[in-house]
Amino acid sequence: MSGIIGKKIGMTSIYSADGRNVACTLIEAGPCVVTQVKNDETDGYTSVQLGYGERKEKRTTKALKGHFAKAKTTPKQHVVEFRDFRVEFEGGVQLGQSISVADVFQVEDFVDVVANSKGKGFQGVVKRHNFGGVGQATHGQHNRLRAPGSIGGASYPARVFKGMRMAGRTGNDRVKVTNLQVLKIIPEKNLILVSGSVPGPKNGTVILEK
């Protein structure tokens, strides 16, 4: 699996060759620096670790400074490991090498995008689990329209079962959206346009996998 790290710019739409208006997401992908190359002999598996974004020196631990110094690069904000990094790169990836979006993806490729979804805070069951609410405001139900209803028996089992869907923290989860098609690549600006929506806010970090 190969991939690259990027930043979500926002959504827009473009017209396809057959005249359809297609919703798409603009992502600034890379350039990333190869910060570690793992192999079977020393690590037991093959992978490539990429770094993206700048991190302040004073906010970087000595261990990380040494790690990035081996690759002769500045401290990076995000580091992601891609196992079995693409067959075409086998033996061709060097420590400290810069990887751009055009090196990994081509137009019409299908990619998976991983990101953290927007956090919604503490939410009730209607928003969190799509409950219908109690419904109707008659027969004494004047203030329970968004309430969950009964959550368990009284005398038996006299407790609430584990896993009962209730109110709680919502969003800010790691989400993977699969099979988004690459519609356009602008290599001089490190931009890639993929079909559909991508989780997370604008300027959120995303991982594109192929």
Side-chain angles (χ1 to χ4, degrees):
M1 177 184 66
S2 61
I4 201 166
I5 315 167
K7 180 174 71 175
K8 178 178 174 179
I9 303 297
M11 289 198 70
T12 183
S13 63
I14 62 171
Y15 284 97
S16 63
D18 57 356
R20 291 185 301 114
N21 191 9
V22 181
C24 51
T25 304
L26 189 64
I27 298 170
E28 182 187 279
C32 295
V33 177
V34 177
T35 52
Q36 189 175 11
V37 179
K38 294 186 176 180
N39 54 52
D40 285 320
E41 290 77 25
T42 57
D43 306 288
Y45 64 98
T46 59
S47 75
V48 171
Q49 185 190 80
L50 299 181
Y52 173 75
E54 296 300 319
R55 179 200 291 258
K56 289 183 179 178
E57 287 267 353
K58 67 178 183 180
R59 295 187 182 276
T60 307
T61 62
K62 283 187 177 178
L64 276 178
K65 283 179 185 175
H67 181 70
F68 292 121
K70 282 183 182 176
K72 297 179 180 176
T73 184
T74 55
K76 300 300 177 190
Q77 183 70 38
H78 305 285
V79 174
V80 177
E81 186 175 295
F82 297 92
R83 292 187 72 151
D84 304 320
F85 197 74
R86 199 178 173 183
V87 178
E88 295 93 308
F89 281 103
E90 282 298 330
V93 177
Q94 303 296 327
L95 198 61
Q97 180 182 345
S98 180
I99 303 284
S100 67
V101 63
D103 295 331
V104 183
F105 300 110
Q106 295 179 342
V107 175
E108 296 189 352
D109 280 349
F110 284 91
V111 299
D112 299 339
V113 179
V114 182
N116 273 4
S117 63
K118 289 180 180 177
K120 305 291 184 183
F122 192 96
Q123 297 294 331
V125 290
V126 172
K127 187 179 182 76
R128 193 181 189 206
H129 299 297
N130 292 324
F131 279 20
V134 172
Q136 299 184 3
T138 59
H139 300 283
Q141 305 287 352
H142 66 92
N143 61 353
R144 296 179 53 77
L145 296 180
R146 298 178 73 86
S150 173
I151 58 173
S155 59
Y156 182 82
R159 62 182 175 85
V160 178
F161 287 111
K162 281 185 178 179
M164 180 67 63
R165 294 181 297 170
M166 299 177 72
R169 187 189 60 80
T170 307
N172 197 25
D173 294 317
R174 183 182 169 94
V175 179
K176 176 185 275 191
V177 180
T178 58
N179 292 327
L180 300 182
Q181 190 172 28
V182 177
L183 301 176
K184 191 174 184 180
I185 293 176
I186 308 173
E188 60 271 17
K189 294 183 178 178
N190 297 311
L191 295 176
I192 182 170
L193 209 59
V194 298
S195 63
S197 59
V198 166
K202 290 178 182 175
N203 295 321
T205 302
V206 298
I207 302 168
L208 286 86
E209 297 174 348
K210 184 178 177 183

